[in-house]
């Protein structure tokens, strides 16, 4: 009798296989999230509409009043703008990642996953990978819109692909911040609000929409050392688009390296914190 009791009370078996098992589990969770996304097409649709609205509004409402490189030519500003819009789009997907994880927590799905013999970080990794796939789709559509409004690349396709790679890496890094927020709140609504409230200062106190040299003197170093600014500047360099005024800040002098370093550091820090939080809240 006691043997049966001990067997029934035993915890769920843990997955073996190390990294290989973790990768397989993550891909299974990513596939599950992608299937769910296809069954809720309005989520994808709204995710596409928002960046298109930003392109149109900033290009045609503010374009004629912005000075880039000493000119107010709207076409110059549109080429300057698009790197910022691309970066804003990949980072705003963070709110969706947080809300999705919070929803899974609220419905008890995470507890069900925990009872299975799978890698502990797979649930979060799978979710962030699924969000990355959705971001790729959004970026594809946004690129077409950007070409229609006059944006062009001038440094060749390989460098342009490198720029998009940096953008997706930044979006993936920020999705781990969203994952941590989603695990730290009680409802999807709170996760959405918490995922957006910090993104606005990050994206607007940057070189995405205006030259940082036009900001208040105390804001300029914040904007120049902003991880978001580094990626935007790197993309402008790789796209061959108009850039901001020269700055002595290291990230602006070496934007590609700065973008890579910032993204890797963010992933390392916030993935560790998110997985640790995941283990504690599901115990």
């Amino acid at each position: 009798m006691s043997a049966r009791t001990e067997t029934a009370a035993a915890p769920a078996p843990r997955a073996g296989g190390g990294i290989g098992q973790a990768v397989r589990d993550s891909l299974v969770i990513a596939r599950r999230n992608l299937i769910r996304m296809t069954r809720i097409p309005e989520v994808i649709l709204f995710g596409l509409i928002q960046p298109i609205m930003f392109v149109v509004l900033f290009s045609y409402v503010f374009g004629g009043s912005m000075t880039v490189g000493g000119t107010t030519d709207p076409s110059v500003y549109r080429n300057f703008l698009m790197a910022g819009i691309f970066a804003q789009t990949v980072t705003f997907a963070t709110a969706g990642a947080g809300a999705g994880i919070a929803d899974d927590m609220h419905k008890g799905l995470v507890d069900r996953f925990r009872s299975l013999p799978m890698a502990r970080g797979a649930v979060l990794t799978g979710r962030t990978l699924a969000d990355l796939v959705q971001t790729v789709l959004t970026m594809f559509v946004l690129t077409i819109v950007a070409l229609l409004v006059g944006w062009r690349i001038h440094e060749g396709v390989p460098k342009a692909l490198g720029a998009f790679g940096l953008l997706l890496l930044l979006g993936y890094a920020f999705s781990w911040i969203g994952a941590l927020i989603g695990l730290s709140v009680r409802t999807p609504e709170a996760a959405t609000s918490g995922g957006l409230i910090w993104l606005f200062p990050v994206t607007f106190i940057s070189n995405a929409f205006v030259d940082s040299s036009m900001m208040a003197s105390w804001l300029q170093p914040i904007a120049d050392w902003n991880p978001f600014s580094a990626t935007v500047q790197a993309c402008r360099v790789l796209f061959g688009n108009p850039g901001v005024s020269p700055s002595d800040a290291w990230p602006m002098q070496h934007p590609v390296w700065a973008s890579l370093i910032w993204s890797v550091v963010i992933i390392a820090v916030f993935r560790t914190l998110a997985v640790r939080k995941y283990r504690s809240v599901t115990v």
Side-chain angles (χ1 to χ4, degrees), residues 193-266:
S193 300
L196 289 174
I197 195 169
W198 64 274
L199 279 174
F200 279 100
V202 167
T203 55
F204 283 94
I205 304 178
S206 72
N207 59 9
F209 307 110
V210 297
D211 191 333
S212 60
S213 65
M214 301 172 63
M215 299 179 180
S217 58
W218 63 274
L219 273 180
Q220 291 179 25
I222 298 176
D224 289 340
W225 283 89
N226 185 344
F228 187 84
S229 293
T231 299
V232 172
Q233 182 69 358
C235 289
R236 288 186 178 128
V237 171
L238 295 174
F239 287 144
N241 294 154
V244 299
S245 301
S247 169
D248 292 333
W250 187 86
M252 296 297 99
Q253 294 293 323
H254 309 276
V256 174
W257 280 109
S259 176
L260 283 171
I261 292 171
W262 271 121
S263 294
V264 170
V265 168
I266 291 171

Side-chain angles (χ1 to χ4, degrees), residues 264-274:
V264 170
V265 168
I266 291 171
I267 291 172
V269 171
F270 283 92
R271 187 185 188 280
T272 300
L273 293 175

Side-chain angles (χ1 to χ4, degrees), residues 42-145:
E42 56 267 25
V43 174
I44 299 176
L45 179 62
F46 292 150
L48 293 173
I49 291 176
Q50 178 178 299
I52 292 173
M53 288 177 60
F54 275 113
V55 172
V56 174
L57 288 174
F58 277 92
S59 297
Y60 295 103
V61 176
F62 302 111
S65 60
M66 296 293 187
T67 300
V68 177
T71 179
T72 57
D73 185 347
S75 64
V76 174
Y77 180 69
R78 282 195 288 273
N79 279 272
F80 171 87
L81 171 70
M82 283 314 305
I85 295 292
F86 286 140
Q88 184 190 53
T89 300
V90 299
T91 54
F92 269 42
T94 299
I101 291 172
D103 186 50
D104 286 346
M105 291 284 295
H106 184 68
K107 293 178 178 177
L109 290 175
V110 171
D111 289 333
R112 297 179 189 175
F113 288 137
R114 185 177 177 272
S115 68
L116 300 175
M118 61 189 301
R120 294 300 177 139
V123 173
L124 302 180
T125 302
R127 174 72 207 198
T128 54
L129 288 175
D131 289 327
L132 183 63
V133 172
Q134 183 178 351
T135 301
V136 170
L137 173 62
T138 303
M139 290 291 289
F140 177 76
V141 175
L142 186 59
T143 300
I144 295 175
V145 174

